[in-house]
Amino acid sequence: VFLAVPPDAVVEAYSQVPASVPVVTDTASVKGTVMSRIGDDRFVGGHPMAGKESGGLGAAEASLFLGAYWLLCPGGPSAVETLSSVVRSIGAKPLIMSAEEHDRHVALLSHLPHLLALHLLDLSGALPFPEVAAGSWRDLTRVAAADPALWIQILRANAPAVADAAETLGRRLQQDAGRLRAGDTGGLERLFEARDRRGGS
């Protein structure tokens, strides 16, 4: 059984699943708060890394999970094996990690980008001609179109890890601001070396 519900609803939804079901998983993007409240070997925390900013049946996409990582936080060994097989059968790649590792990774790779997109849109309100924004702006702010109620839940549920990531980025941006005001772009030039980590995506 797949529980495709928001983070705050996972535990209640799980309580409704009959005991006869051998494997249960969720798709919520926060695992610590879920796994700490469900201690059953048949439950495997799951998170397909293939989200979209739009929702509903109209946004369905048959190829959504092809080649995407599907993060799994272990319950019982047999349940992980079964779910890994199901995940592979729909074209995704299972990757096993602890709930703590999961939340730390997605804080930086998913949750912080949403927060940044919202801040950028908010800041743009002070500009007289925000409509001149082009491709880079669209790419950076695309995820801000996601459901606000859902994302408030996600950010609240993963607050410690997102706060750590935000503070780390904030310190870096403050350093960048200091360098720019001093006319020192050396640190920025070195920063561009990180673009190689993006790969071909």
Side-chain angles (χ1 to χ4, degrees):
V1 169
F2 284 80
L3 304 176
V5 297
D8 288 358
V10 173
V11 175
E12 174 60 26
Y14 179 76
S15 71
Q16 305 300 314
V17 179
S20 58
V21 176
V23 181
V24 185
T25 187
D26 71 326
T27 59
S29 69
V30 182
K31 294 275 83 79
T33 54
V34 171
M35 300 300 291
S36 65
R37 297 177 64 191
I38 302 177
D40 195 327
D41 278 355
R42 70 174 179 160
F43 182 80
V44 180
H47 181 196
M49 299 300 288
K52 297 175 69 175
E53 71 276 11
S54 51
L57 291 176
E61 186 177 311
S63 61
L64 181 63
F65 302 124
L66 293 180
Y69 281 102
W70 198 299
L71 310 184
L72 303 177
C73 298
S78 62
V80 171
E81 183 178 335
T82 299
L83 184 56
S84 294
S85 178
V86 172
V87 165
R88 290 190 190 95
S89 74
I90 59 176
K93 300 179 289 187
L95 180 63
I96 298 172
M97 59 177 60
S98 70
E100 181 181 2
E101 287 176 320
H102 171 278
D103 288 356
R104 182 164 51 86
H105 277 70
V106 298
L108 182 62
L109 302 177
S110 176
H111 303 167
L112 184 60
H114 276 78
L115 198 58
L116 287 173
L118 293 168
H119 275 295
L120 287 170
L121 284 173
D122 194 38
L123 284 169
S124 72
L127 297 173
F129 305 108
E131 64 272 17
V132 302
S136 61
W137 180 262
R138 287 192 297 272
D139 291 343
L140 284 168
T141 60
R142 176 186 61 82
V143 294
D147 178 46
L150 172 62
W151 273 92
I152 289 294
Q153 276 193 39
I154 290 170
L155 293 171
R156 182 176 62 240
N158 201 23
V162 178
D164 286 346
E167 288 172 353
T168 299
L169 180 60
R171 286 193 297 270
R172 288 192 170 207
L173 289 174
Q174 286 285 358
Q175 291 171 354
D176 290 342
R179 291 190 183 104
L180 288 167
R181 294 188 188 283
D184 173 17
T185 58
L188 297 179
E189 290 169 1
R190 288 191 296 274
L191 191 58
F192 273 91
E193 296 172 6
R195 66 181 180 176
D196 295 336
R197 296 177 191 163
R198 192 169 187 271
S201 61

